[in-house]
């Protein structure tokens, strides 16, 4: 398993479909996952530190875990099948719960929990980015990646 950082939520054009973009820690691969608008908002709120006046679903779930004394130890994004990504919540006490990656990521951001992806998943769906040596090369890589996001569709990962 490889640890991932959440880069952020982007909108894929021209379909206007949200994508959460994850980056391999200490690596060169990125993992784009198409998600729903509600989940994109939940992830963006967590990244920006927005606290709604009443708990959203992911905030509520975090509060329930805290109340019952269960820790979210890690999130694992395990595979993609038929254009659908799968994840697991690993809880203290040895419990594992199947989850959508978008919900898992939103919860992980609220709890400070690490997110991991399996090697086979990163091999299949990860996008390799060169490690830039200069600012100019980094700008070129970002431009190429933006071009990739503008042209890629969920079907490309099937």
């Amino acid at each position: 398993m490889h640890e991932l950082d959440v880069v952020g939520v982007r909108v894929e054009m021209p379909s206007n479909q949200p994508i959460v973009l994850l980056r391999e820690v200490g690596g060169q691969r990125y993992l784009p996952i198409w998600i729903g608008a509600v989940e994109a908002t939940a992830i963006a709120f967590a990244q920006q530190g927005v606290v709604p006046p009443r708990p959203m679903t992911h905030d509520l779930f975090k509060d329930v875990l805290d109340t019952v004394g269960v820790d979210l130890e890690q999130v694992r994004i395990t595979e993609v099948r038929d254009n659908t990504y799968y994840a697991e919540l690993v809880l203290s006490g040895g419990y594992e719960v199947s989850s959508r990656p978008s919900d898992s990521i939103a919860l992980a951001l609220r709890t400070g929990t690490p997110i991991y992806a399996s090697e086979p998943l990163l091999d299949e769906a990860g996008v390799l980015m060169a490690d830039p040596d200069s600012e100019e090369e980094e700008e070129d890589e970002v431009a190429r990646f933006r071009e990739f996001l503008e042209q890629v569709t969920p079907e490309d990962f099937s």
Side-chain angles (χ1 to χ4, degrees), residues 50-61:
V50 174
V51 178
R54 298 290 298 146
M56 293 175 59
T57 304
H58 303 95
D59 303 305
L60 175 64
F61 192 60

Side-chain angles (χ1 to χ4, degrees), residues 10-15 17 19-22 28-34 85 121-130 139-158:
R10 307 286 188 264
V11 176
E12 185 263 334
M13 300 303 283
S15 70
Q17 172 128 17
I19 298 172
V20 61
L21 184 61
L22 305 156
Q28 300 174 342
R29 293 177 285 190
Y30 287 75
L31 184 63
I33 301 176
W34 281 259
Y85 285 81
L121 174 64
L122 287 172
D123 285 345
E124 179 181 349
V127 177
L128 185 62
M129 299 289 285
E139 290 173 12
D140 290 344
E141 288 296 325
V142 169
R144 282 194 292 272
F145 191 67
R146 283 190 178 137
E147 183 178 326
F148 164 80
L149 287 178
E150 289 172 4
Q151 296 175 8
V152 72
T153 66
E155 290 75 28
D156 291 333
F157 293 95
S158 61

Side-chain angles (χ1 to χ4, degrees), residues 1-6 22-25 31 33 72-79 86-88 90 101 104-105 108 112-119 121-122:
M1 297 297 259
H2 296 268
E3 188 170 359
L4 304 172
D5 282 333
V6 180
L22 305 156
R23 177 182 54 224
E24 180 181 22
V25 173
L31 184 63
I33 301 176
L72 177 60
E73 295 180 345
Q74 61 181 257
V75 164
R76 296 180 188 153
I77 303 172
T78 56
E79 64 180 318
Y86 293 83
E88 298 170 344
V90 179
S104 298
I105 292 165
T113 301
I115 302 167
Y116 297 93
S118 68
E119 180 68 27
L121 174 64
L122 287 172

Side-chain angles (χ1 to χ4, degrees), residues 95-115:
Y95 299 104
E96 294 182 9
V97 178
S98 180
S99 175
R100 297 184 308 177
S102 55
D103 291 327
S104 298
I105 292 165
L107 187 58
L109 289 171
R110 285 164 172 75
T111 59
T113 301
I115 302 167

Side-chain angles (χ1 to χ4, degrees), residues 35-55:
I35 60 176
V38 172
E39 293 79 11
T41 300
I43 291 168
F45 275 13
Q47 278 197 302
Q48 296 167 7
V50 174
V51 178
R54 298 290 298 146

